[in-house]
Amino acid sequence: MIDESKCYDELREKRWPYGVHCPECLSNKTNKRGKNHRQQECRRYTCKKCGKRFDDLTGTIFMGRHQPLSVWFSYLYLMGLNVSNRQVAEELDLNESDGQAMAELLRGGIAPCRPTVRLAGEVECDEVYVVAGHTLRGTSKGRPDKIKGRAARRRRLKGAPGRGTLAKEPPRSLV
């Protein structure tokens, strides 16, 4: 298992490369307030400018979660190896639904951080146009000339419209 203190050190380094700043007012004038009583490696801070209290996890996807940060980092590492959510949950001794929720949160947190793709120089794109229902195999599929002339399918009950009446549909006897 990964060391919890190293995970928090890595989180602080990635989150605040130029020093701790308040997530509310973005001021870098902060005081350390000790550690979290549940997670001893998690440091607490107070902003001198706005007076807000925050810790290492405030404003991240890890905030308010019960799993230790080392489990999240392990999950993220195994996701990078293309291991299925079920296998990762078994490996980390998690409930499968908890593993799925963690994967969704991690993917959601990673996607906005990706840089926009900028194309430069010569770019070649191939185009493909596929019409739904037109495949190469089958009798009428893949042949648009046979599909165009046929009538639309009816996907409903064959009875007369409406609820019916006693005169048209008398109740059946139980005998």
Side-chain angles (χ1 to χ4, degrees):
M1 197 57 126
I2 301 172
D3 184 29
E4 199 72 23
S5 62
K6 289 182 182 178
C7 291
Y8 276 96
D9 291 339
E10 185 68 23
L11 178 71
R12 282 185 217 103
E13 185 179 318
K14 295 291 183 195
R15 185 172 184 194
W16 299 307
Y18 304 110
V20 178
H21 63 269
C22 175
E24 188 72 26
C25 68
L26 302 178
S27 171
N28 62 352
K29 296 183 180 1
T30 59
N31 285 335
K32 289 184 182 176
R33 280 187 349 149
K35 298 178 180 182
N36 190 327
H37 68 282
R38 289 189 181 146
Q39 299 167 340
Q40 292 296 316
E41 294 81 9
C42 184
R43 294 181 190 160
R44 291 180 170 177
Y45 307 95
T46 303
C47 179
K48 290 181 181 178
K49 186 175 179 184
C50 67
K52 294 284 183 182
R53 297 178 179 180
F54 62 97
D55 63 13
D56 292 332
L57 304 179
T58 302
T60 67
I61 60 172
F62 310 117
M63 180 178 71
R65 309 291 174 204
H66 297 287
Q67 297 295 338
L69 198 58
S70 59
V71 173
W72 286 91
F73 277 38
S74 301
Y75 203 103
L76 187 61
Y77 173 75
L78 292 172
M79 279 177 61
L81 297 177
N82 281 338
V83 179
S84 72
N85 289 344
R86 178 179 287 165
Q87 289 174 323
V88 174
E90 287 176 8
E91 184 71 28
L92 298 176
D93 198 26
L94 299 171
N95 187 335
E96 193 175 330
S97 62
D98 290 343
Q100 180 68 29
M102 288 173 73
E104 289 173 5
L105 283 169
L106 288 169
R107 286 187 189 107
I110 292 169
C113 298
R114 288 189 176 175
T116 57
V117 177
R118 295 185 180 182
L119 303 176
E122 279 189 36
V123 178
E124 182 179 332
C125 295
D126 294 333
E127 58 184 71
V128 176
Y129 184 72
V130 178
V131 179
H134 296 225
T135 61
L136 297 176
R137 297 185 194 115
T139 55
S140 65
K141 291 186 177 184
R143 299 193 178 136
D145 53 332
K146 289 191 175 182
I147 293 175
K148 285 182 184 175
R150 71 172 169 81
R153 294 181 182 168
R154 272 183 80 183
R155 296 185 184 265
R156 62 184 177 99
L157 297 175
K158 305 295 185 209
R163 293 179 53 184
T165 63
L166 281 175
K168 288 182 181 178
E169 298 175 13
R172 295 183 213 161
S173 63
L174 298 175
V175 181

